[in-house]
Amino acid sequence: MKHAILSRFLLPGSLLGLLLLNNGLAVAQRSPFAGDKRSAIKEEDLKRDLFAIGGDHFRGREGGTLDELKASVWIAEQARAIGLQSAGDDGTYFQFFHIQRTRLTKDSRLSIGTHQLTHGKDAMILAPGVATINAPLVFVGTGTAAEMANIDVKGKAVAILFSGTPSADLSYRRFVGQTMRDKSEELVKAGAVAVVFVSDARAQDLYERWTTSYERGRYSLPGEAATKVVEQAPTIWLPAEALAWVRQPGQQMTANLKVETFAYPSVNIVATVPGTDAQLKKENVLFSTHQDHDGVRKIVAGDSIWNGADDNATGCAALLATMRAFKQKPAKRTALFVFHGAEERGLLGSRYYAANPTVPRESIVAVLNAEMLGRNAPDSAALLGSQPPHRNSLDLVNTALAANQATAQFKLDTLWDKPTHPEGWYFRSDHLSYARLNIPSICYTTLLHKDYHTPEDEPERINIQKLAGVTRWIYLTGWAVANQKERPALDKDFKLER
């Protein structure tokens, strides 16, 4: 009978199953997933915190702005009110770090024929770089092999009407960015001094919604290679209305592009519930998420606040709920909670914390990352890092799979965790910073949706019941890890490859 009960929670061959049997925990009421732990996560708490963090008050929490700082102070105050200990720098809940931003200067100049173009208004330059150009412009249609057959692009600026359709697995946004990068690289290698893309009807919708990310420039941590200012052939994106005059022959492109770089602060919030075991409390189970999003940007459908309710107010609400559960009943190991700043700028907060942890790095036994937890089908979710080559701990994955079976029993989408998936979703959230250091790491997510990184990602569109289900899954995984005798083992010969 004991084995029959245990089999409900485990996959065949699970190391967790052996551990539970060895510890004599096969009886259901003594399982790490039994008892009243699931009820510790309250839907009303999740909804209240979600609407607070993801509402208009914090104006989209853009990394490195006062809005991100205000949201971070609010989160820290919730941690204090719940009763968590501060674990940031200097006895506070905060770990400040600097973002290095590189962007085009306001006095940069760009023109095609008689048209003076302003970056961020009439045109988007996809990457900040230094360039001085005075070259003829040649329009090559959609840039097919037949259209390019008799055109010498060397020393010229090449204009192309963007076209194409992505594969079923690749979002249109990723397709546009990837196509522009690949085509520009090809033409620059052939001698082009600049590449100009003009939106077709479908790309125009993306241009209107997404191009503010290019307007802001490039972000990194200070001292990284990305902060270096280099001379490069620019890639320029124009709106569809430009096609009428771009295709006219005999025009000259001139450009004088300059770059500036400067630093300003962002912040991680760090709090802890100490463990109860004299020895195991020296080890930490790290619950991870990020509090920033895209801030206030161009107006889309009458709304300029890109709230990021799913991305990632859901993760913030989930960690606050998990804090309450651990405060109510601490585990043997310490529960460490880190809200990372500036994730949307390139995982900057998690990269900084992984390099400068406020606890001994070797004390972190596992990282459970929460990234977008409340949309799509109510019975579906994904666990990134659950299969090779992304998986770095079978122990941790089996614990998470067992916790899923004991809670919401989500149908797990495994396609997004494959290295062949064109979105590369595994490489786009904060768990990556820890996996790179060989710390057992997984990421819980309910994946992309049509409102991703748009002003339509509002709290009202979140499925609170689903968010609660994923939060219980995260909490019970962490509870099991925090109480196991042995820390999750790293897979032998794990090597993270993209």
Side-chain angles (χ1 to χ4, degrees), residues 38-114:
R38 281 168 285 187
S39 64
I41 304 299
K42 309 291 187 184
E43 288 186 12
E44 56 266 32
D45 291 340
L46 290 163
K47 184 175 182 179
R48 181 191 62 248
D49 293 339
L50 168 72
F51 274 74
I53 305 165
D56 286 354
H57 177 72
F58 293 123
R59 292 167 31 97
R61 315 176 306 279
E62 182 172 1
T65 68
L66 286 175
D67 298 318
E68 183 195 40
L69 180 58
K70 289 176 183 176
S72 300
V73 170
W74 184 89
I75 291 169
E77 174 57 21
Q78 305 315 301
R80 186 203 62 77
I82 293 167
L84 269 72
Q85 294 184 11
S86 59
D89 291 335
D90 302 319
T92 73
Y93 291 98
F94 304 110
Q95 182 191 51
F96 285 95
F97 62 95
H98 278 91
I99 297 174
Q100 193 77 25
R101 183 177 177 184
T102 304
R103 68 182 181 186
L104 289 171
T105 62
K106 291 185 178 180
D107 63 345
S108 292
R109 295 291 178 263
L110 172 66
S111 66
I112 297 177
T114 60

Side-chain angles (χ1 to χ4, degrees), residues 257-440:
L257 305 181
K258 305 173 185 178
V259 168
E260 61 184 358
T261 182
F262 52 92
Y264 51 85
S266 183
V267 65
N268 296 323
I269 308 115
V270 193
T272 187
V273 177
T276 59
D277 184 90
Q279 292 302 316
L280 293 181
K281 69 179 181 181
K282 299 174 184 178
E283 298 180 344
N284 293 274
V285 179
L286 194 160
F287 295 86
S288 159
T289 196
H290 71 90
Q291 76 270 24
D292 68 307
H293 192 59
D294 280 347
V296 179
R297 302 201 171 197
K298 65 169 58 178
I299 297 173
V300 178
D303 190 357
S304 63
I305 299 177
W306 298 45
N307 296 76
D310 196 29
D311 185 14
N312 193 23
T314 54
C316 294
L319 256 64
L320 289 173
T322 305
M323 283 180 176
R324 294 185 182 96
F326 270 94
K327 180 60 180 176
Q328 177 181 329
K329 188 175 179 60
K332 292 180 180 180
R333 288 185 175 87
T334 295
L336 177 67
F337 297 88
V338 185
F339 297 74
H340 299 102
E343 187 266 3
E344 302 292 359
R345 306 283 73 84
L347 315 183
L348 299 186
S350 61
R351 286 164 53 195
Y352 186 84
Y353 190 84
N356 304 276
T358 59
V359 300
R361 185 179 295 111
E362 63 275 12
S363 75
I364 303 173
V365 304
V367 173
L368 281 59
N369 185 47
E371 176 69 77
M372 300 176 61
L373 308 179
R375 294 290 296 268
N376 297 317
D379 62 346
S380 70
L383 185 68
L384 305 182
S386 64
Q387 56 190 315
H390 300 156
R391 190 192 74 203
N392 70 354
S393 175
L394 179 60
D395 281 357
L396 180 59
V397 169
N398 278 338
T399 303
L401 294 177
N404 178 46
Q405 288 303 306
T407 52
Q409 299 184 1
F410 289 111
K411 298 174 184 176
L412 299 184
D413 184 328
T414 60
L415 295 178
W416 286 70
D417 194 35
K418 292 183 179 296
T420 53
H421 196 286
E423 285 286 339
W425 193 233
Y426 175 86
F427 292 88
R428 292 163 59 185
S429 193
D430 288 318
H431 63 281
L432 180 66
S433 302
Y434 301 96
R436 283 176 168 157
L437 297 176
N438 288 339
I439 298 172

